[in-house]
Structure formats: C-alpha cells, structure tokens
Amino acid sequence: QKEVEQNSGPLSVPEGAIASLNCTYSDRVSQSFFWYRQYSGKSPELIMSIYSNGDKEDGRFTAQLNKASQYVSLLIRDSQPSDSATYLCAVIQGAQKLVFGQGTRLTINP
Amino acid sequence: EAGVAQSPRYKIIEKRQSVAFWCNPISGHATLYWYQQILGQGPKLLIQFQNNGVVDDSQLPKDRFSAERLKGVDSTLKIQPAKLEDSAVYLCASSWGDGQPQHFGDGTRLSIL
C-alpha cells in the first residue's frame, strides 16, 4: 500500500462545476495535511493546509479531513480553466516527513 | 518576501558526468529540503536539513548523491556520477520548521543523455 494515494486521473470537469479531488493515507498518526497545485513545468504551490477533522474553506477551495477514515479531499467550486493543473496531496508522516501522492491531473473544460 | 531561489533552471549532461544544484531558501527558514520529481510522480524527499544539520537522508542514494548546507542558509546538491535514471526535476523547498508548510523553488530540470 502506498503511503499517500491519489487517483492519477485525468479528471475532467466542466467550467463552473465542482471539482472533487480525493486522497487517502496510510499512517494513522498523521496530523498535518496539505494540498499543492502544480502547473505543467512549474513547481508545486501550496494552496491549502488542514490539521483537524472537518472542513476548511478558503475562497473557492474547501479542504475536508476525516482522520478516522484516513481520508482528505479538496473541493474546488465554480471551476475555472485556470484551475487546470495537477493537484498533489501531501501528508506529514512519522518523523515529520512530508510524503506526496502521485497527483491528480485536473482539466476544466470551457 | 523573496521565494526559494534555485539554479540552474535546466541542465543537460551525459551519464557518468557530475552536476551540482544550488538553493537559497526563504530568509529565516530553518528547514531546507531537496526533492526529486520524476515525470508523472509526486516529489520524493531526498534530504532534509534543520539549520546546517541533516534530519533525514534515508532516501538519498549516498553512493552518488551528496548535499550540504554550510552556515545553515544556502545548500548544494551534487550527483556524481550521474545515471540515466537521475533524469528528473530537482526541487528545493524551505519552511520555518519541521511540520510547517513548505514553499518550493522553480526547480532544476536535469536531463541525462
């Protein structure tokens, strides 16, 4: 089992719809969770961090965390073509090591 | 606030040659990381420094890769000799401390011929 798992996609969503990105992790004691956006040929950019169960909203982005299910998700409301990118889920695991999933490629169709 | 600076942006070398990458973290960030990102995969941690000490280098191929962070600021990552499978983007990131959000530089895209 991979430490952090994401569906590699591609995930295709029409403009204006909600994009839902999912991530599961294996280390039950993980406490810190991050979503990074990576445009093609660019470096990862931090867009959301979440540390406690529940929802955290920032503009059009909502991160959801369920530690019991070892599941973290990212919702993007009113999706725009500029949201087309690869979204990386990252989890701080034992010894404070940040482990990345393989990323989900998201395409927003105009 | 200036971001993480890396150089060079691109590097092409032949296998068995050596190469070095440089990173300057965000001012004040104590923790510095080097990652390797192979096409289609997420970044993989190679080495983590806290100030000028190594915190984690468990995934660094020590027979060919080395890294240092003199004076706890800038860092260099070296590969000697390079292999074809080292073709990747090498990302440097920094953070205020362990477990804090990490901010990435633009990376160095390395191609091995």
Side-chain angles (χ1 to χ4, degrees), chain A residues 32 34 36 38 40-46 49 51 88 92 95-103, chain B residues 9 35 37 40-43 45 48 56 58-59 91 98-107 109:
Chain A
S32 304
F34 307 93
Y36 285 82
Q38 187 172 28
S40 181
K42 302 294 185 182
S43 62
E45 173 193 9
L46 180 66
S49 57
Y51 305 97
L88 296 161
I92 297 277
Q96 299 298 313
K97 186 170 83 171
L98 186 66
V99 179
F100 284 85
Q102 67 181 76
Chain B
R9 288 296 314 278
Y35 288 88
Q37 187 174 24
Q41 299 180 18
L45 180 68
Q48 175 182 341
D56 183 351
S58 57
Q59 297 190 100
L91 295 162
D98 242 352
Q100 297 299 308
Q102 297 179 22
H103 300 271
F104 286 80
D106 288 337
R109 186 175 299 275

Side-chain angles (χ1 to χ4, degrees), chain B residues 6-63:
Chain B
Q6 286 189 249
S7 67
R9 288 296 314 278
Y10 305 93
K11 191 72 177 179
I12 301 173
I13 62 172
E14 294 184 347
K15 60 183 179 184
R16 291 188 289 273
Q17 287 187 321
S18 63
V19 64
F21 314 126
W22 172 82
C23 173
N24 180 246
I26 292 172
S27 178
H29 279 193
T31 311
L32 185 147
Y33 314 79
W34 283 102
Y35 288 88
Q36 180 192 59
Q37 187 174 24
I38 293 172
L39 189 65
Q41 299 180 18
K44 182 184 84 170
L45 180 68
L46 293 175
I47 189 167
Q48 175 182 341
F49 292 95
Q50 180 74 20
N51 296 309
N52 61 348
V54 175
V55 174
D56 183 351
D57 63 357
S58 57
Q59 297 190 100
L60 186 73
K62 298 180 186 62
D63 57 333

Side-chain angles (χ1 to χ4, degrees), chain A residues 65-87:
Chain A
L65 175 61
N66 183 325
K67 290 183 181 179
S69 299
Q70 295 175 235
Y71 177 93
V72 59
S73 65
L74 179 71
L75 301 178
I76 306 174
R77 289 183 301 282
D78 188 24
S79 297
Q80 303 296 310
S82 59
D83 296 326
S84 297
T86 295
Y87 289 81

Side-chain angles (χ1 to χ4, degrees), chain A:
Chain A
Q1 183 190 9
K2 292 181 182 176
E3 295 175 282
V4 179
E5 289 204 58
Q6 295 180 255
N7 189 322
S8 61
L11 176 64
S12 189
V13 173
E15 184 175 356
I18 296 175
S20 178
L21 304 159
N22 304 315
C23 172
T24 58
Y25 58 94
S26 62
D27 187 348
R28 184 169 290 279
V29 301
S30 297
Q31 296 294 321
S32 304
F33 307 86
F34 307 93
W35 283 99
Y36 285 82
R37 177 177 62 200
Q38 187 172 28
Y39 292 114
S40 181
K42 302 294 185 182
S43 62
E45 173 193 9
L46 180 66
I47 55 172
M48 289 288 284
S49 57
I50 187 166
Y51 305 97
S52 54
N53 279 328
D55 295 359
K56 179 182 177 183
E57 187 175 317
D58 183 1
R60 295 186 297 109
F61 298 97
T62 299
Q64 299 175 317
L65 175 61
N66 183 325
K67 290 183 181 179
S69 299
Q70 295 175 235
Y71 177 93
V72 59
S73 65
L74 179 71
L75 301 178
I76 306 174
R77 289 183 301 282
D78 188 24
S79 297
Q80 303 296 310
S82 59
D83 296 326
S84 297
T86 295
Y87 289 81
L88 296 161
C89 172
V91 178
I92 297 277
Q93 299 198 336
Q96 299 298 313
K97 186 170 83 171
L98 186 66
V99 179
F100 284 85
Q102 67 181 76
T104 297
R105 189 154 54 93
L106 174 66
T107 300
I108 307 300
N109 300 309

